[in-house]
Amino acid sequence: MDVMKQAGALKERLVDFALSPRFARELDEAFERSHPDVLADSEVATSMIVDHFVLQQRLASGDTVIDRFLRAHPGLSPQEREMLLGWKDVVEGVFEVKEKDQDAVILFNLVDELTYRARSNMGESAFRTVGKGMFLICRLVPLGADWLVSAHISLFPAEARDELLIQAAEVALRNPELVFRNPDKLAAARRMLAEQREVFIEMYGAEYIVVPGEEVPSQYDAFMRACMDRAQPGNTFPSPSLTYSDEMPDAETVAIHFDPETGISFYLDFGLLQELFAAPSLINRRRYRETLTSYLRGDDISPAAIRLLADPDPDNAGVVFGKLLKKKNFSWPEHGESLLRRYKARHFETPRLPTTIPVSETMAELLRSFPPDGPSEP
């Protein structure tokens, strides 16, 4: 069978499987959680949510729809199994049409700045209205040396370039993993991160500081201004604004941590836990116990935060976690890493990527031209 027909037939079977009653509850939950980061109409947005659920979403059991499909269809050929597993590698973005090439289009992704030759299982008709210089918002999956359009397409005229550049920058800032498909972008981000870490340590003398919550915005602004001055002395660009939780300004203490692999993180009530790890008997008090539990179980808190607390005094850390977990012989040096891997599995399953995202100078100029809340609605 022709590879395009094989892909079309396989994708149809996979989607039918995903839309079966066995996944109804989890698919409904996916729709409730999803707010696509793209300028797309409702039909395209729906298609993208379903496509993400089918190809990428982790189910409650920890596997994916593709994993379930493979187990349910042991008679698939090796080529079909390889194709399905390859579809977990999804490219999302805002694409500029560079040219048409027979039944394919050559697309430049404004998010990762890589070029893709894309085809559709609908053949040339899928790109009949697509012209050079136009823009597509879509999802692509591997198809041999090419890429296959995996969900509905949103098509925009060339005149929408500025708006779509801003959209691409916002997608990149929210989803670093999409940018870092490009190894040059990842290398550039790591260089930026190393320079910023030097600035942080020069300013504060350590890789983290603990301050009252109300001081976090001013400390962050001073740090970012120092980074910008180092990169381009004398610049007058506004420093990036800080987006933070409603609880942060009222927090008694917040740790501002510059992780060498990811960048800036904020940990609320960190000072309280420092008191606990200095005096383990405080674990008997509810507030200390509940705060540490929230750190351990909180999916948004990096294992790095717990290491910062535990590593200075491993013996005290062993006592604290032994009492919290009711394990008499708990030892932080012996059991700490397995504890983190158990409670922070997501952080170990995915690469630790920089939160500093390099964008093109064109994008940067456009973003600087708009107020902090972003461009006004057209």
Side-chain angles (χ1 to χ4, degrees), residues 250-262:
D250 298 324
E252 290 183 8
T253 59
V254 176
I256 306 175
H257 176 220
F258 200 100
D259 188 299
E261 293 185 332
T262 60

PDB file of all heavy atoms in Angstrom, residues 250-262:
ATOM      1  N   ASP A 250       1.494  37.956  49.244  1.00  0.00           N
ATOM      2  CA  ASP A 250       1.158  37.828  50.660  1.00  0.00           C
ATOM      3  C   ASP A 250       1.988  36.771  51.375  1.00  0.00           C
ATOM      4  O   ASP A 250       1.857  36.595  52.594  1.00  0.00           O
ATOM      5  CB  ASP A 250      -0.331  37.487  50.819  1.00  0.00           C
ATOM      6  CG  ASP A 250      -1.226  38.584  50.266  1.00  0.00           C
ATOM      7  OD1 ASP A 250      -0.852  39.767  50.404  1.00  0.00           O
ATOM      8  OD2 ASP A 250      -2.284  38.260  49.686  1.00  0.00           O
ATOM      9  N   ALA A 251       2.839  36.061  50.636  1.00  0.00           N
ATOM     10  CA  ALA A 251       3.635  35.001  51.256  1.00  0.00           C
ATOM     11  C   ALA A 251       4.670  35.596  52.205  1.00  0.00           C
ATOM     12  O   ALA A 251       5.290  36.621  51.912  1.00  0.00           O
ATOM     13  CB  ALA A 251       4.339  34.173  50.184  1.00  0.00           C
ATOM     14  N   GLU A 252       4.852  34.966  53.363  1.00  0.00           N
ATOM     15  CA  GLU A 252       5.853  35.438  54.316  1.00  0.00           C
ATOM     16  C   GLU A 252       7.247  35.389  53.709  1.00  0.00           C
ATOM     17  O   GLU A 252       8.056  36.309  53.885  1.00  0.00           O
ATOM     18  CB  GLU A 252       5.807  34.600  55.594  1.00  0.00           C
ATOM     19  CG  GLU A 252       4.564  34.823  56.436  1.00  0.00           C
ATOM     20  CD  GLU A 252       4.606  34.024  57.720  1.00  0.00           C
ATOM     21  OE1 GLU A 252       5.667  33.421  58.018  1.00  0.00           O
ATOM     22  OE2 GLU A 252       3.588  34.002  58.434  1.00  0.00           O
ATOM     23  N   THR A 253       7.549  34.299  53.013  1.00  0.00           N
ATOM     24  CA  THR A 253       8.846  34.159  52.367  1.00  0.00           C
ATOM     25  C   THR A 253       8.679  33.472  51.018  1.00  0.00           C
ATOM     26  O   THR A 253       7.783  32.632  50.837  1.00  0.00           O
ATOM     27  CB  THR A 253       9.824  33.322  53.218  1.00  0.00           C
ATOM     28  OG1 THR A 253       9.265  32.021  53.446  1.00  0.00           O
ATOM     29  CG2 THR A 253      10.130  34.009  54.526  1.00  0.00           C
ATOM     30  N   VAL A 254       9.554  33.814  50.105  1.00  0.00           N
ATOM     31  CA  VAL A 254       9.619  33.171  48.796  1.00  0.00           C
ATOM     32  C   VAL A 254      11.092  32.975  48.454  1.00  0.00           C
ATOM     33  O   VAL A 254      11.893  33.908  48.595  1.00  0.00           O
ATOM     34  CB  VAL A 254       8.950  34.026  47.696  1.00  0.00           C
ATOM     35  CG1 VAL A 254       9.122  33.375  46.318  1.00  0.00           C
ATOM     36  CG2 VAL A 254       7.467  34.241  47.997  1.00  0.00           C
ATOM     37  N   ALA A 255      11.436  31.778  48.035  1.00  0.00           N
ATOM     38  CA  ALA A 255      12.790  31.545  47.517  1.00  0.00           C
ATOM     39  C   ALA A 255      12.802  31.863  46.036  1.00  0.00           C
ATOM     40  O   ALA A 255      11.943  31.391  45.279  1.00  0.00           O
ATOM     41  CB  ALA A 255      13.209  30.100  47.741  1.00  0.00           C
ATOM     42  N   ILE A 256      13.752  32.683  45.609  1.00  0.00           N
ATOM     43  CA  ILE A 256      14.006  32.931  44.194  1.00  0.00           C
ATOM     44  C   ILE A 256      15.255  32.136  43.848  1.00  0.00           C
ATOM     45  O   ILE A 256      16.355  32.442  44.320  1.00  0.00           O
ATOM     46  CB  ILE A 256      14.224  34.429  43.906  1.00  0.00           C
ATOM     47  CG1 ILE A 256      13.049  35.258  44.434  1.00  0.00           C
ATOM     48  CG2 ILE A 256      14.394  34.655  42.406  1.00  0.00           C
ATOM     49  CD1 ILE A 256      13.251  36.756  44.287  1.00  0.00           C
ATOM     50  N   HIS A 257      15.074  31.096  43.067  1.00  0.00           N
ATOM     51  CA  HIS A 257      16.156  30.154  42.804  1.00  0.00           C
ATOM     52  C   HIS A 257      16.540  30.201  41.336  1.00  0.00           C
ATOM     53  O   HIS A 257      15.668  30.141  40.463  1.00  0.00           O
ATOM     54  CB  HIS A 257      15.700  28.729  43.169  1.00  0.00           C
ATOM     55  CG  HIS A 257      16.700  27.677  42.838  1.00  0.00           C
ATOM     56  ND1 HIS A 257      16.350  26.451  42.313  1.00  0.00           N
ATOM     57  CD2 HIS A 257      18.067  27.647  42.951  1.00  0.00           C
ATOM     58  CE1 HIS A 257      17.432  25.724  42.126  1.00  0.00           C
ATOM     59  NE2 HIS A 257      18.482  26.427  42.500  1.00  0.00           N
ATOM     60  N   PHE A 258      17.825  30.316  41.066  1.00  0.00           N
ATOM     61  CA  PHE A 258      18.288  30.215  39.682  1.00  0.00           C
ATOM     62  C   PHE A 258      18.873  28.832  39.461  1.00  0.00           C
ATOM     63  O   PHE A 258      20.024  28.548  39.802  1.00  0.00           O
ATOM     64  CB  PHE A 258      19.326  31.293  39.336  1.00  0.00           C
ATOM     65  CG  PHE A 258      19.430  31.500  37.852  1.00  0.00           C
ATOM     66  CD1 PHE A 258      18.788  32.551  37.242  1.00  0.00           C
ATOM     67  CD2 PHE A 258      20.140  30.606  37.062  1.00  0.00           C
ATOM     68  CE1 PHE A 258      18.847  32.722  35.861  1.00  0.00           C
ATOM     69  CE2 PHE A 258      20.203  30.761  35.688  1.00  0.00           C
ATOM     70  CZ  PHE A 258      19.554  31.825  35.084  1.00  0.00           C
ATOM     71  N   ASP A 259      18.044  27.958  38.915  1.00  0.00           N
ATOM     72  CA  ASP A 259      18.467  26.596  38.620  1.00  0.00           C
ATOM     73  C   ASP A 259      19.376  26.623  37.395  1.00  0.00           C
ATOM     74  O   ASP A 259      19.016  27.204  36.370  1.00  0.00           O
ATOM     75  CB  ASP A 259      17.234  25.722  38.341  1.00  0.00           C
ATOM     76  CG  ASP A 259      17.568  24.254  38.209  1.00  0.00           C
ATOM     77  OD1 ASP A 259      18.341  23.910  37.297  1.00  0.00           O
ATOM     78  OD2 ASP A 259      17.043  23.444  38.983  1.00  0.00           O
ATOM     79  N   PRO A 260      20.564  26.003  37.448  1.00  0.00           N
ATOM     80  CA  PRO A 260      21.492  26.079  36.314  1.00  0.00           C
ATOM     81  C   PRO A 260      20.971  25.419  35.050  1.00  0.00           C
ATOM     82  O   PRO A 260      21.458  25.713  33.958  1.00  0.00           O
ATOM     83  CB  PRO A 260      22.746  25.365  36.828  1.00  0.00           C
ATOM     84  CG  PRO A 260      22.289  24.529  37.974  1.00  0.00           C
ATOM     85  CD  PRO A 260      21.139  25.266  38.589  1.00  0.00           C
ATOM     86  N   GLU A 261      19.969  24.536  35.154  1.00  0.00           N
ATOM     87  CA  GLU A 261      19.462  23.848  33.974  1.00  0.00           C
ATOM     88  C   GLU A 261      18.183  24.462  33.428  1.00  0.00           C
ATOM     89  O   GLU A 261      17.879  24.318  32.247  1.00  0.00           O
ATOM     90  CB  GLU A 261      19.209  22.365  34.289  1.00  0.00           C
ATOM     91  CG  GLU A 261      20.486  21.583  34.578  1.00  0.00           C
ATOM     92  CD  GLU A 261      20.210  20.112  34.772  1.00  0.00           C
ATOM     93  OE1 GLU A 261      19.089  19.767  35.208  1.00  0.00           O
ATOM     94  OE2 GLU A 261      21.104  19.309  34.484  1.00  0.00           O
ATOM     95  N   THR A 262      17.413  25.145  34.280  1.00  0.00           N
ATOM     96  CA  THR A 262      16.117  25.651  33.826  1.00  0.00           C
ATOM     97  C   THR A 262      15.981  27.164  33.942  1.00  0.00           C
ATOM     98  O   THR A 262      15.304  27.792  33.126  1.00  0.00           O
ATOM     99  CB  THR A 262      14.971  24.991  34.613  1.00  0.00           C
ATOM    100  OG1 THR A 262      15.119  25.278  36.012  1.00  0.00           O
ATOM    101  CG2 THR A 262      14.956  23.484  34.395  1.00  0.00           C
TER     102      THR A 262
END
